[in-house]
Amino acid sequence: MSNSSADSGITTPATKVNLMGMGQARMEAFFEELGEKKFRATQMLKWIHQLGVTDFQQMSNVSKDLRNKLSELAEVRAPEVIQQLDSADGTRKFLIRVSGDNAVEAVFIPEGERGTLCVSSQVGCSLDCSFCATGKQGFNRDLTTAEIIGQVWIAARSFGQLQETPVRGARRVTNVVMMGMGEPLLNFDNVVESMNLMMHDNCYGISKRRVTLSTSGVVPALDRLGEHTDACLAISLHAPNDELRNQLVPINKKYPIAQLLASAKRYIDGLPDQRRKITIEYTLIDHLNDRPEHAFELAELLKDVPVKINLIPFNPFSLSNYKRVSNNAMRRFQTILIEAGYTTTIRTTRGDDIDAACGQLAGQVEDRTKRSARYKLDHQAFLDASNDVIPVKMVN
Ligand code: SAH
Ligand code: SF4
């Protein structure tokens, strides 16, 4: 589709191409189509992702003619930040508009020198894990590459990281985890292209040991992942056997634990760096999966897989009857795994005052699957019976 501008005679597209989300290969193809050399792609990636420049006229090493041509045809557009919330502990949450009333969340968590950004991959999620606020909202759509890498751009820029001389001593995005809203492997191409931009030397240059994809277990996509990226892998396991995992992570009925672990092991074995381990995420829920026998079973299950284990206390949200694990049960669980020889950490909850914890990311999802409506109906009795229930929290 194109418009013809009467005075200039130049044909311009009705919608400009957004260069924000283009990886190296697509960017090179774009410039070649314009009759330009490939090195223009490298220049453009640096302007956008290292210097945070979005106005072509400020790109001083690009000829005036090309700058004008780019202004006609293209744009560099990051998603819009609706709200930025800063927690007392340094956690920063961004509510990001992704069209109409829909919004997703990205969370920056500082820890000493390290700054981890938790990035979303979809508006909502179709997989409906029983303990996850995102899942309870249903699914709307996949995020574009510009919307995924745009979260990194927005956070890095908010700390003055994207400029010639970054602010000294300021926070930086040093790590990225694809653990925000959505299942990254169900938005495969856009997630892979975005992760590769995060690790690209001409962009953010984050080490492959510091970019992690987390999945609840979409095995066919995991089987293909190694052909496209060498980022770190986290598996959301949450249960030591299929019977329990089927209740918590419904996709387990399709791809049970044995298949998932075998696929994860193939991915890690295919990486050039043999030292890397799979992170096993295990959300501990009171009286459900937090018993010593679960810890012993987990230790046995993982004995032939190179893993480190990250225990996450369940973060409650309205509309969920699950309860947070007790500190005693959590310590007991950790001790059993450590004694069995596993590196086992407990993820501390951060950004409590701004609802920024794992599994609490809600954003705003106009649910195309109508799951949220069904879920609210199913839980009406529970809601009616409870005095202190707050409606689903939407951050405005
Ligand atoms: N869909 C992907 C990535 C997003 S979820 C996945 O499931 O791995 C990121 C992590 O948060 C997962 O390990 C998930 O299990 C965990 N999580 C979800 N809801 C949670 C909650 N209410 N409390 C604690 N952790 C939660
Ligand atoms: Fe989706 Fe992950 Fe939440 Fe499951 S835990 S519903 S896969 S976002």
Side-chain angles (χ1 to χ4, degrees):
M1 244 210 301
S2 61
N3 291 332
S4 193
S5 132
D7 46 354
S8 69
I10 298 172
T11 303
T12 55
T15 323
K16 292 184 176 184
V17 187
N18 189 3
L19 304 189
M20 169 62 73
M22 273 193 192
Q24 175 96 29
R26 280 205 295 140
M27 192 76 90
E28 284 180 0
F30 170 77
F31 278 104
E32 281 188 314
E33 230 170 81
L34 292 184
E36 294 288 333
K37 293 264 172 9
K38 276 187 184 177
F39 77 90
R40 295 287 182 202
T42 306
Q43 287 181 328
M44 186 56 68
L45 290 176
K46 286 185 176 171
W47 279 116
I48 300 172
H49 299 289
Q50 290 190 342
L51 296 168
V53 172
T54 56
D55 177 3
F56 296 120
Q57 299 306 332
Q58 286 178 30
M59 301 182 179
S60 50
N61 57 1
V62 177
S63 72
K64 195 155 189 286
D65 271 0
L66 181 54
R67 292 203 304 249
N68 289 342
K69 200 172 352 171
L70 287 171
S71 303
E72 291 277 355
L73 297 171
E75 62 182 345
V76 181
R77 188 166 34 85
E80 178 198 344
V81 179
I82 303 173
Q83 195 182 29
Q84 178 183 310
L85 289 164
D86 284 321
S87 158
D89 67 12
T91 301
R92 175 171 286 184
K93 180 162 94 168
F94 302 90
L95 185 69
I96 294 169
R97 187 182 322 276
V98 290
S99 70
D101 274 345
N102 290 324
V104 294
E105 295 179 353
V107 179
F108 176 85
I109 306 140
E111 216 179 353
E113 292 288 289
R114 182 196 290 225
T116 302
L117 187 69
C118 181
V119 167
S120 293
S121 57
Q122 298 184 308
V123 186
C125 184
S126 61
L127 294 185
D128 199 17
C129 299
S130 62
F131 51 86
C132 173
T134 306
K136 292 294 153 246
Q137 293 193 315
F139 174 72
N140 187 278
R141 71 165 170 85
D142 287 336
L143 293 183
T144 63
T145 316
E147 288 164 341
I148 299 170
I149 197 66
Q151 297 169 56
V152 183
W153 189 91
I154 284 166
R157 207 157 179 264
S158 81
F159 296 112
Q161 191 177 327
L162 303 187
Q163 50 200 45
E164 202 88 56
T165 328
V167 181
R168 278 186 65 191
R171 300 260 185 231
R172 290 180 66 78
V173 178
T174 60
N175 296 54
V176 175
V177 290
M178 297 299 308
M179 294 185 188
M181 298 170 70
E183 168 49 51
L185 287 184
L186 288 179
N187 185 10
F188 192 91
D189 293 344
N190 296 346
V191 164
V192 163
E193 191 171 17
S194 303
M195 289 200 307
N196 290 340
L197 278 168
M198 296 167 201
M199 297 185 277
H200 200 297
D201 281 344
N202 294 325
C203 301
Y204 302 88
I206 304 175
S207 146
K208 60 190 177 192
R209 287 194 189 77
R210 292 170 173 230
V211 174
T212 303
L213 180 142
S214 171
T215 180
S216 60
V218 188
V219 170
L222 182 56
D223 282 340
R224 296 195 288 129
L225 190 64
E227 293 158 35
H228 302 273
T229 190
D230 55 1
C232 296
L233 179 66
I235 298 290
S236 292
L237 196 64
H238 311 306
N241 60 62
D242 284 325
E243 199 190 343
L244 187 52
R245 193 166 192 263
N246 285 346
Q247 290 173 38
L248 298 173
V249 185
I251 198 177
N252 193 68
K253 292 178 203 146
K254 208 163 175 190
Y255 308 114
I257 292 175
Q259 278 184 37
L260 173 57
L261 290 179
S263 174
K265 197 161 177 290
R266 283 194 297 275
Y267 176 78
I268 224 78
D269 286 345
L271 295 178
D273 182 347
Q274 286 303 318
R275 284 169 306 172
R276 277 205 273 170
K277 289 184 170 172
I278 303 162
T279 302
I280 297 291
E281 291 165 282
Y282 194 106
T283 298
L284 284 162
I285 306 166
D286 183 48
H287 282 86
L288 202 79
N289 61 355
D290 63 343
R291 307 285 86 199
E293 54 270 31
H294 296 130
F296 288 118
E297 202 179 351
L298 186 64
E300 179 63 21
L301 176 73
L302 297 173
K303 67 178 190 305
D304 296 323
V305 194
V307 295
K308 52 186 181 197
I309 301 170
N310 194 206
L311 302 175
I312 314 168
F314 168 69
N315 291 309
F317 55 95
S318 53
L319 287 185
S320 170
N321 328 12
Y322 290 156
K323 291 196 177 61
R324 195 182 191 281
V325 63
S326 72
N327 284 344
N328 272 350
M330 188 157 64
R331 291 277 166 224
R332 195 171 50 195
F333 205 93
Q334 183 188 31
T335 305
I336 293 168
L337 293 171
I338 289 175
E339 281 174 0
Y342 294 95
T343 304
T344 310
T345 49
I346 292 176
R347 189 179 298 168
T348 48
T349 294
R350 302 286 303 272
D352 251 352
D353 47 346
I354 56 171
D355 279 354
C358 234
Q360 289 183 327
L361 302 191
Q364 285 170 201
V365 181
E366 198 188 314
D367 174 19
R368 289 204 184 140
T369 60
K370 304 282 172 255
R371 172 179 310 132
S372 45
R374 280 199 308 272
Y375 187 81
K376 275 174 216 156
L377 210 64
D378 288 350
H379 284 67
Q380 203 55 52
F382 165 69
L383 289 176
D384 290 345
S386 177
N387 296 326
D388 57 352
V389 168
I390 318 149
V392 181
K393 191 148 192 177
M394 296 290 188
V395 189
N396 293 310

